[in-house]
Amino acid sequence: MKPTSGPEEARRPASDIRVFASNCSMHGLGHVFGPGSLSLRRGMWAAAVVLSVATFLYQVAERVRYYREFHHQTALDERESHRLVFPAVTLCNINPLRRSRLTPNDLHWAGSALLGLDPAEHPAFLRALGQTPAPPGFMPSPTFDMAQLYARAGHSLDDMLLDCRFRGEPCGPENFTMIFTRMGKCYTFNSGADGAELLTTTRGGMGNGLDIMLDVQQEEYLPVWRDNEETPFEVGIRVQIHSQEEPPIIDQLGLGVSPGYQTFVSCQQQQLSFLPPPWGDCSSASLNPNYEPEPSDPLSSPSPSLPYTLMGCRLACETRYVARKCGCRMMYMPGDAPVCSPQQYKNCAHPAIDAMLRKDSCACPNPCASTRYAKELSMVRIPSRAAARFLARKLNRSEAYIAENVLALDIFFEALNYETVEQKKAYEMSELLGDIGGQMGLFIGASLLTILEILDYLCEVFRDKVLGYFWNRRHSQRHSSTNLLQEGLGSHRTQVPHLSLGPSPLLCSEDLPPLLVLSPRLSPPPTAPATLSHGSRPAVCVLGAPP
């Protein structure tokens, strides 16, 4: 604040509005509350100040309202990299079970659930598989495990994988991890499971990624006995390219690769970043796949979980739904619930999952950070006439078998760059403060220090007006008590004659304050008591000894 000037302003208290207006850095107040009488000029200044303050408050309210709407904007950028982590590649044979591995016991337990077979059709189906029907007196096993069935009868990568290379270096089944999906037994390359080091690539283009040659083994495909939702009519493999944190949903998101063709898949990595509420709707809290009928102990420590992903959330949601409806889980689902029996698969699990997918009951928000891969596909026929005989000798297969069963797959990065899709706050707190400061300077010529001046003035007003009121009231009460005391002393002045003020105090009792100071030149002895009457209460005092 500006220093006061003039003797008149110096005599005024700091709580005076004229003193504040003349010293405040806010424009216009000095013209409104300045010295002098009311005039047209002062009225015009007052109107201008009021209009400016109202406009400023309106602009501030608009900026605050816009900030509380929490708008966001999406920024797309392309960045270069010298090395990229190669994605996880999951592949499944479209045929879930090999015909040569099925047994009469498998048909007894799972024939109706998986193949839609009646018990009377089992002998004919076994003959179609090239096997002998169950002998008379056949006794099935007391228990049956669906996961063991798919692990034993599913296609083996050792039989399917004919050739494998990554960045020109040989690879094999040991570089793949077996995993169960809704399509059965599948295999994931570069999964990073069990702490395995993730493979990277330093160049883009063909020959700098994963090159594999597979045998789909059509002779092992199950015969189509009856048309149902689980009956496959196609031949080949399903492939999904995904990040290591995301579980494969290959039955919904997998690409189809057909035998007799070499398929090229060009990928580009995309890193997505979304904002949490209230600016967006992303989430980073993983959903526990275990269904708990009763809430768990809130004091118990949470179990470690994988990073939140959209597919992981949907899979956990499906697991909880099936566990609640059926009391079990399907073999590819995570969690601790027991695996469903074949009868539970048929009567409960499959209908529940289909109904859930139709209703889209899982409300899974986008993850706050995720990685996905854009893909472009192209294909050519293999083998050519010139290479058919060579491949037949190399693979020890006939040319017709190679044309019907062998496929090649080449997955690579288009270039070592990646796209970033990032949500950003459209209006930050710093921008809100900047706008408020700009409007404040434009309309009322004030700043943050002006606000401090106003607060300081309000403190002065509180001290002078409020605290001063109570101080004056207390002082007046003390003054009234002193007058009453003086009147009481005047009425009893004859009882204590010739008392005068002096340096020696009068010693009084502890419960009464000293009322008089007596001179050492009094005639009564130092020990003689003096009795003073104060209303109805006597005060007994003893003269103090002279110094």
Side-chain angles (χ1 to χ4, degrees):
M1 298 178 65
K2 303 176 184 176
T4 59
S5 61
E8 183 179 356
E9 292 187 359
R11 290 193 299 270
R12 293 173 181 171
S15 59
D16 194 318
I17 185 63
R18 289 172 293 180
V19 175
F20 171 73
S22 62
N23 298 323
C24 182
S25 59
M26 179 177 171
H27 295 179
L29 288 183
H31 297 281
V32 177
F33 298 100
S37 60
L38 182 64
S39 62
L40 177 62
R41 176 174 176 270
R42 179 173 297 188
M44 294 178 63
W45 270 108
V49 169
V50 171
L51 182 61
S52 298
V53 171
T55 307
F56 162 69
L57 294 178
Y58 172 77
Q59 294 293 335
V60 169
E62 283 295 312
R63 291 293 86 193
V64 172
R65 180 192 62 79
Y66 181 77
Y67 175 78
R68 291 185 61 83
E69 290 177 354
F70 304 108
H71 295 276
H72 69 265
Q73 58 188 4
T74 303
L76 178 64
D77 192 15
E78 186 170 343
R79 301 179 182 178
E80 298 289 336
S81 177
H82 298 290
R83 181 184 298 270
L84 287 178
V85 175
F86 199 75
V89 180
T90 299
L91 53 93
C92 305
N93 200 311
I94 292 177
N95 180 61
L97 299 171
R98 291 179 288 178
R99 63 193 301 167
S100 63
R101 296 303 179 96
L102 290 180
T103 64
N105 187 66
D106 298 333
L107 292 183
H108 172 81
W109 285 101
S112 177
L114 301 181
L115 305 174
L117 297 175
D118 296 330
E121 298 176 318
H122 290 180
F125 190 80
L126 287 172
R127 283 191 291 266
L129 297 180
Q131 301 183 24
T132 58
F138 166 75
M139 294 295 294
S141 61
T143 60
F144 190 80
D145 191 336
M146 291 287 290
Q148 293 181 2
L149 168 65
Y150 278 92
R152 171 175 50 84
H155 287 266
S156 173
L157 189 64
D158 293 333
D159 301 330
M160 289 196 303
L161 190 62
L162 302 178
D163 187 42
C164 177
R165 292 184 179 274
F166 179 74
R167 295 178 57 189
E169 298 294 330
C171 55
E174 65 276 4
N175 300 106
F176 291 79
T177 303
M178 194 269 289
I179 184 175
F180 286 119
T181 70
R182 195 172 184 185
M183 295 188 65
K185 186 178 179 181
C186 302
Y187 302 90
T188 301
F189 176 80
N190 197 30
S191 65
D194 301 327
E197 183 179 359
L198 298 180
L199 301 176
T200 60
T201 181
T202 56
R203 295 180 60 185
M206 290 186 295
N208 296 288
L210 176 65
D211 301 328
I212 57 176
M213 182 175 289
L214 296 171
D215 181 2
V216 299
Q217 299 178 314
Q218 278 203 68
E219 75 279 3
E220 290 284 4
Y221 276 42
L222 295 176
V224 178
W225 198 260
R226 184 173 286 109
D227 186 9
N228 56 46
E229 294 183 359
E230 302 296 329
T231 302
F233 294 102
E234 61 272 16
V235 60
I237 64 170
R238 298 287 289 273
V239 179
Q240 183 180 353
I241 301 172
H242 55 95
S243 64
Q244 281 75 18
E245 295 82 11
E246 188 175 15
I249 311 294
I250 198 167
D251 59 302
Q252 302 177 32
L253 304 177
L255 305 172
V257 181
S258 176
Y261 290 90
Q262 180 172 4
T263 304
F264 303 94
V265 184
S266 175
C267 302
Q268 185 179 31
Q269 188 182 92
Q270 295 177 336
Q271 295 183 2
L272 289 77
S273 177
F274 297 99
L275 291 174
W279 293 272
D281 60 350
C282 79
S283 174
S284 57
S286 299
L287 180 64
N288 185 5
N290 295 317
Y291 171 67
E292 299 176 355
E294 298 180 357
S296 58
D297 184 8
L299 300 179
S300 61
S301 58
S303 58
S305 57
L306 295 175
Y308 176 82
T309 60
L310 183 61
M311 294 297 106
C313 174
R314 290 181 180 176
L315 186 59
C317 178
E318 294 175 2
T319 303
R320 291 170 64 92
Y321 185 81
V322 173
R324 184 173 65 251
K325 289 287 185 180
C326 310
C328 60
R329 64 180 176 89
M330 304 177 81
M331 63 177 183
Y332 64 90
M333 293 179 172
D336 301 329
V339 178
C340 296
S341 65
Q343 198 65 23
Q344 288 175 316
Y345 258 79
K346 178 183 179 181
N347 298 334
C348 185
H350 277 304
I353 287 295
D354 293 337
M356 188 177 187
L357 293 178
R358 285 193 300 267
K359 293 186 298 183
D360 196 15
S361 303
C362 291
C364 289
N366 289 321
C368 294
S370 62
T371 301
R372 69 182 183 188
Y373 298 90
K375 298 169 282 290
E376 294 182 0
L377 277 70
S378 61
M379 58 186 65
V380 295
R381 285 190 59 86
I382 62 166
S384 65
R385 292 182 180 179
R389 185 174 300 178
F390 171 78
L391 284 178
R393 291 196 305 266
K394 178 181 178 181
L395 302 177
N396 195 22
R397 300 287 195 276
S398 66
E399 296 181 15
Y401 182 91
I402 293 175
E404 293 182 355
N405 292 275
V406 175
L407 61 87
L409 180 64
D410 190 355
I411 301 174
F412 55 91
F413 280 119
E414 179 180 358
L416 286 187
N417 54 20
Y418 60 95
E419 291 182 352
T420 59
V421 181
E422 182 178 5
Q423 282 186 352
K424 297 182 178 180
K425 299 176 184 178
Y427 198 58
E428 296 274 3
M429 175 61 73
S430 59
E431 296 175 292
L432 174 63
L433 296 178
D435 286 347
I436 292 177
Q439 302 291 345
M440 186 185 299
L442 175 64
F443 289 103
I444 60 178
S447 65
L448 182 62
L449 295 181
T450 307
I451 298 177
L452 297 180
E453 291 178 353
I454 296 175
L455 296 177
D456 179 71
Y457 169 70
L458 294 178
C459 291
E460 293 290 343
V461 171
F462 179 79
R463 188 188 67 176
D464 292 349
K465 303 298 182 183
V466 180
L467 297 182
Y469 169 76
F470 290 104
W471 177 267
N472 294 333
R473 184 178 179 182
R474 182 179 179 184
H475 180 71
S476 63
Q477 291 176 352
R478 287 183 177 180
H479 185 67
S480 300
S481 301
T482 304
N483 291 338
L484 292 175
L485 178 60
Q486 290 177 357
E487 291 177 0
L489 291 177
S491 62
H492 295 81
R493 188 178 301 276
T494 57
Q495 299 181 12
V496 188
H498 307 291
L499 296 180
S500 62
L501 298 177
S504 298
L506 184 67
L507 303 180
C508 302
S509 60
E510 295 180 357
D511 58 341
L512 293 174
L515 301 179
L516 294 175
V517 179
L518 300 182
S519 171
R521 298 188 298 274
L522 294 176
S523 57
T527 59
T531 302
L532 301 180
S533 174
H534 185 190
S536 61
R537 299 177 58 187
V540 180
C541 303
V542 180
L543 290 174

